[in-house]
Amino acid sequence: MSEKKEPSILEGFKAFLMRGNVVDLAVAVVIGAAFTNIVNSVVKGVINPLVGAFGTKDLDKYSSCLKDPCKVAADGTVNSGIPIMWGTVLSATLSFVITAAVVYFLMVLPMAKYLARQEARRKAKEGTHEVIELTELEVLKEIRDALVAQRGSGHDRE
């Protein structure tokens, strides 16, 4: 009886790191972190002032008071009451929607179109290949039939 040797934890970890998708995931996380800074800047520099045209310039200032009196210091600490900071949630939601839209329209949609075009080309190439194979098959059948006919007519002369 031969026992299979279990891979060591270190070997398993090395195999895990050597998978291509781990590296791709690490790159995606780094790019995503950098992209988050851009989106946050757009929200704070463009979206918030546009919303601020109707009220406060900073969405983080929008809040409701669950228990009066609500007093929040400039640094964000609550002195009294229970404030609901729904402006912060709105700002984070806008950041998420903008990020998702940019990722979808600039990355996912073009990649899907590219892959669909590649698949269509592959299918068209396979279709052409099948037509060529069918044509070659038909020619071979005609040659066979001609040879059979010649052989048949040759037997009539003997």
Side-chain angles (χ1 to χ4, degrees), residues 124-134:
K125 191 175 183 180
E126 284 179 4
T128 305
H129 187 64
E130 287 175 12
V131 169
I132 292 171
E133 284 180 6
L134 284 176

Side-chain angles (χ1 to χ4, degrees), residues 97-117:
V97 169
I98 291 170
T99 303
V102 168
V103 167
Y104 179 75
F105 289 112
L106 293 183
M107 296 175 192
V108 173
L109 195 60
M111 183 57 81
K113 287 183 179 181
Y114 172 75
L115 292 175
R117 259 188 267 124

Side-chain angles (χ1 to χ4, degrees), residues 10-11 13-14 21 45-46 49 68 74 87 97 100 109 114 121-122 137 149 151 156:
L10 188 60
E11 289 171 348
F13 184 67
K14 181 181 174 186
N21 56 357
V46 177
D68 284 326
V97 169
L109 195 60
Y114 172 75
R121 284 185 193 144
R122 186 186 63 77
L137 186 61
R151 197 175 291 160
D156 293 341

Side-chain angles (χ1 to χ4, degrees), residues 36-52 57-60 87-99:
T36 299
N37 290 334
I38 294 170
V39 171
N40 288 338
S41 297
V42 169
V43 169
K44 294 230 182 271
V46 177
I47 303 296
N48 285 357
L50 289 175
V51 172
K57 287 186 179 179
D58 188 7
L59 284 179
D60 293 339
T88 306
V89 174
L90 180 62
S91 180
T93 303
L94 286 173
S95 294
F96 172 76
V97 169
I98 291 170
T99 303

Side-chain angles (χ1 to χ4, degrees), residues 3-16 19:
E3 291 182 28
K4 285 188 174 181
K5 182 183 174 189
E6 289 287 324
S8 71
I9 293 175
L10 188 60
E11 289 171 348
F13 184 67
K14 181 181 174 186
F16 170 73
R19 289 184 192 162

